[in-house]
Amino acid sequence: MTFQSCVRITDEWDIVSARQLGRNISKEIGFGTVDQARITTAISELARNIFLYAKTGEICILKINEAGRLGLKIVAKDQGPGILDIRKVMQDGYTTSGGLGAGLPGVKRLMDSFDIESKTSGEEKGTIITAMKWIR
């Protein structure tokens, strides 16, 4: 059985809600405090990107159990403009918001797996980022 909970991102308070949900679920399934912090930081960055670049979207958090391994899957989804150059945004230091440029590369480092799909045109325009963290 898969448990999933989602937070719609439409304003800055939703970023806080998504972070709190991630912390609660990660604690509930047995992640230590360091990994809880990693997960909430990743969720915060993903939710902030949705708010800044797509304006609306959602963060879904799924408890996963594969072959006896417990973990968490985070799916960040939006119907925004999409990402023109994924390789560029995955470079450390690249920023379009004036921040530190740790964004998506930082999320990738914090999690055990990371996948990004983005379309800049058509009916399926937008970005889907999937990241997973396993309990060690």
Side-chain angles (χ1 to χ4, degrees), residues 13 17 31 36 54 59 62-63 69 79 105 109 115 121:
W13 289 108
S17 296
F31 281 100
Q36 289 174 39
I59 299 285
L62 298 84
K63 293 180 188 178
R69 290 176 65 197
Q79 289 78 44
R109 282 191 296 274
D115 181 65
S121 63

Side-chain angles (χ1 to χ4, degrees), residues 43-110:
I43 289 170
S44 183
E45 182 61 32
L46 294 170
R48 191 180 69 82
N49 282 353
I50 289 171
F51 177 68
L52 287 176
Y53 302 113
K55 307 302 180 217
T56 63
E58 68 179 358
I59 299 285
C60 292
I61 301 167
L62 298 84
K63 293 180 188 178
I64 50 177
N65 185 343
E66 289 182 9
R69 290 176 65 197
L70 291 175
L72 205 64
K73 180 190 281 188
I74 301 161
V75 180
K77 205 181 327 184
D78 67 61
Q79 289 78 44
I83 301 169
L84 282 172
D85 190 343
I86 291 174
R87 278 214 316 260
K88 191 178 232 179
V89 301
M90 291 307 295
Q91 292 174 357
D92 280 317
Y94 176 77
T95 179
T96 57
S97 66
L100 297 174
L104 293 178
V107 172
K108 184 176 182 178
R109 282 191 296 274
L110 290 168

